[in-house]
Amino acid sequence: MTKMLAIVSTAFFLAQTPAPVTGRQSAQASVTATVQAIDYNTREVTLKGSLGNVVTFTVDKRVARLNEIKVGDEVTADYYVSIAGEARPAT
């Protein structure tokens, strides 16, 4: 409940500010998942997390040993979660 109040009060403060206010926040996250599918030509890998969520993404070309990953393997992926926003008077 405290977090909700902080978010609401911050949003109220930003809404009252006459000048634009911008902000960014990011955090690194890590997840262990099972490989569901791999397309080696496009470098797309589909992973299924422990909560059942499925995500497909393109593996960067800096990953040199993608050919060693097989369907059914358990992998750990590090990624960044980011959000950016701006609060300004309505136009």
Side-chain angles (χ1 to χ4, degrees), residues 11-89:
F12 178 76
F13 171 76
L14 292 177
Q16 301 300 318
T17 305
V21 176
T22 59
R24 284 183 217 159
Q25 186 67 36
S26 65
Q28 185 177 2
S30 181
V31 63
T32 300
T34 304
V35 177
Q36 297 291 296
I38 302 175
D39 185 335
Y40 295 105
N41 295 325
T42 62
R43 300 183 66 85
E44 288 185 345
V45 176
T46 302
L47 298 178
K48 183 174 184 180
S50 60
L51 299 176
N53 51 328
V54 177
V55 63
T56 300
F57 62 94
T58 303
V59 177
D60 192 278
K61 292 187 181 200
R62 291 178 288 184
V63 176
R65 296 169 39 191
L66 180 63
N67 62 330
E68 294 179 18
I69 307 281
K70 306 290 183 227
V71 172
D73 285 352
E74 192 171 273
V75 297
T76 300
D78 294 325
Y79 62 96
Y80 285 94
V81 178
S82 302
I83 186 168
E86 176 182 63
R88 58 184 168 84

